[in-house]
Amino acid sequence: MKNKTLFKTAILLTLIFTIINVDAKVVSKELNIKHIELGSPVPALPFYHFIAEIDLPEPSIIEVQAEVNGKTLRATDLHRIKDEKEMDRPPISHRPPSGYGLSQDATLYKNLHVVGWVKWEPGKDYTIKISVRIKKNVKASENDVWLTKTETVKAPGNITVFDPAWKNYKSVVVTETAGIARKAEPVEVLLAFYPDEAFDLKREIRVVEVDPKTHVLTEVPSQVFDLQKYTVEDKLDPDVNGKPTREVPIWLPTISARVAFLADVQANKSKVYLVFYNNDKALVKVYNSNLKVQGEMPGINVDNGKISIVLHPNSGHFDQLTLKEKPEFPLFHRMETNGAIHWNPEIYSPPKPWTHTADWNPPQNINLISGPVTAITELWGSLRDIPEVDASVRYQFYPDVPYFISSTSLRINETMNCIAMRNGEIVFKRELMTHAAWYDVIRNKVITYDVTDMPDLTDLKMEADVPWITFYNEKEKIGFAGIQLDYSNSGLESRERLLNPFIYITGGPWIYWARALSLTFLSSNMQQMVPALKGNYFAEKWAYLVYETEDGANPYQPVLEWRNRLLNPLRVHLVEEVDDRVSKTVQELFIDNGKSGWEERETGKH
C-alpha cells in the first residue's frame, strides 16, 4: 500500500512539473515597467499599495500576476491610463473576484497601471515581480507569451504606518458633497469579517484617518456594535452518485458588525479612513466624548454636550429636552395621558381605546446601545391591547450636536378598521411656543403662524412630505424643529391604503404637529371606519433639532442650515483586500437549474 501511494505521488508530481514546464516555455521577453513605487492610501487607491506603469509592445488581451517578496497576490487591479480619473476621489470602476471567475477580460490593454495591496513598512525593501500574459484570444493557450520583470522597491522611510500587530485593515473613503466643512461628523459603516480574523471586534478595532497631504495617521474615536455571527459552513459532500456537488464553497462563515466613528472632512473633499482589526492581543481602548447616558432603560437621561434629553420612565419616549445654552427653559408637554413629547405610531380602532406607542408601560422589547460615538435606544412590540399592530421607536444620539434622530415604524399584522392612524407626533405645552413655521410646497414659500392667536382645535394643514416644520418661542429665542429625512409607506399582501394623508398642527391645552396616515377623526365625517390592511407597513425618519432663534425675518434660519447638512450626509465608499481564501471560480445556485447567461459566451465582454 505504501509503495502504491508513493507511486501515485510521483506521477502527480511529474504531471505538475510537466504543466509548469509547458507554461514556462512561453516566458520569453522582459516586461517594460516604466515606473514602479510603493504608495500610501489616497481616495482613488485607499490602501497601502504598489503601482506600476507598464507599456506593452502592442495592444493586447492580457492576464496579470504579481508577486511581492515571493508571495503571489490573490488579486491585482488593472487600470488603463486613459481611464484613470482624479486620485483625490473614490474609485469608480471595480472588478470583484466574481468578475474574474465569470468572464475573461477581452479588453485590449497598451498603457496601463497595475496596482496591488502591499502592507509595507517604512524603509524596507520589497521585491516585486510582475508577469503579463499576452494572448491572441480570450482563452489562454500554449502559444501565449509571458512578459516578466522583477524590481526591488524601497518603501518610503519618512511615513509612519499603523502598528503591524494589527494584521488586517479595511478602507473607508468618506466624501463631503454639500460644501460644508465637517468636524467630528458621525459615520457608520457595516463591515464583514472571517471568524478567524475577528477574535473580539469590540476590543480589536481601531479607526485611523489618513492625512490627505502628509499621509500621517491619527486614531479617531470609534465604536463597534450590532455584531452578528453566521458560522454555518457550506458542505461539499458528494452527491448520491459520489460526484462532487460543487468545486468550491458558495459561502464562508462570516461575522458582521457596525463600526461608527467621527470624521473630519473638508468641504467637497474626500478622505481615507482605515479600520484595523485582527489583533488577538489588543487591549480595550476607552474613548472619551461628551455623549453620556445615565439611568436605566427605558427612562434614561442622555447628555451630548449640546442638549440634554430625558426619556419617559414608562414608555422610553422623548419626554423632556433642554438646550444646554438655555437651561432655564426646558421643553416638555405633560398635559394629556402619558404626557410625553413624542407620542406615536398609533391607531384608533374602536371599541378598542386610542393607543399610542407612548402608552407602553413598559415596551415589550427594549435595547440600549451606548458608546462614545453613538447611543441608540430601541423599543418595539405590539401596541397595548392591540396585538394586531406592531410598532417600533428608535432614537439615535451623537456627541456635540443639537439634534437627535428618531425612526419609527408601524406594521399591520391583521386588517384593522380604524378612525385614526398617525405617526410623527410632537406635543408641547401650549404656553411654551409662540410661533410655528414650515415650508409650504403648494405655495412655494415658508409659512409663519402666530400660534398664540390660533383658535383651539383649528388645524393648519401641510403636505405629507413637508421638508421641515418648527415651533419656536419668539420671546425666549428658542425653537424646536423636525427635519424630515425619510418617509415610506408600503404593503405586502396589499398596497398601502391611506385616506387623505397630510401633516397638521393643532392647538388646545397643548400645541402639536402630527402625520395623518388615515384620519377620518379630523374629517367632515369623523365616525367613518377605514381599514388598515394586513401587511401594510409605514416608516419615517426625522431629525429633531433644538436651536436658538436668530433676529430678523427668518428666526428659523438654523433649521435651514442643519437641514442642508443632515440631508447631505458624508458619503461612504468601502474598499477591501481580496482575501487569499476567496475562490478563483464562481458557482451560483439557480432556481430550476437555470443558466447564468455566460455559457459559451465568446467575446468575454462584460
Side-chain angles (χ1 to χ4, degrees), residues 250-390:
I250 293 178
W251 75 87
L252 293 171
T254 306
I255 297 176
S256 58
R258 298 182 194 270
V259 178
F261 59 91
L262 300 176
D264 295 345
V265 187
Q266 296 180 14
N268 296 315
K269 299 292 185 181
S270 297
K271 181 184 276 190
V272 177
Y273 285 81
L274 305 179
V275 181
F276 284 90
Y277 62 100
N278 194 1
N279 178 5
D280 61 343
K281 294 182 174 57
L283 300 177
V284 173
K285 187 66 177 286
V286 178
Y287 299 100
N288 294 317
S289 78
N290 285 328
L291 183 58
K292 309 295 181 184
V293 175
Q294 293 183 320
E296 295 184 4
M297 285 286 283
I300 62 171
N301 297 349
V302 180
D303 192 312
N304 74 351
K306 292 288 186 181
I307 55 178
S308 177
I309 306 101
V310 178
L311 302 187
H312 196 283
N314 294 338
S315 67
H317 280 53
F318 167 37
D319 188 61
Q320 181 175 306
L321 179 63
T322 304
L323 183 63
K324 301 297 285 295
E325 295 176 350
K326 289 184 172 293
E328 75 285 355
F329 199 81
L331 303 178
F332 56 91
H333 162 216
R334 304 198 184 106
M335 298 297 294
E336 183 182 355
T337 60
N338 61 71
I341 293 175
H342 184 208
W343 270 49
N344 47 33
E346 66 185 48
I347 199 166
Y348 182 27
S349 179
K352 296 187 177 188
W354 201 322
T355 305
H356 320 76
T357 52
D359 297 319
W360 279 332
N361 186 15
Q364 290 174 322
N365 300 282
I366 298 172
N367 186 43
L368 171 65
I369 297 167
S370 182
V373 178
T374 186
I376 305 169
T377 65
E378 300 180 313
L379 317 166
W380 71 97
S382 60
L383 296 180
R384 280 184 63 182
D385 301 323
I386 306 181
E388 299 89 345
V389 178
D390 287 335

Side-chain angles (χ1 to χ4, degrees), residues 432-444:
L432 295 180
M433 301 299 177
T434 63
H435 289 77
W438 66 93
Y439 176 73
D440 190 298
V441 297
I442 300 294
R443 295 163 182 81
N444 193 28

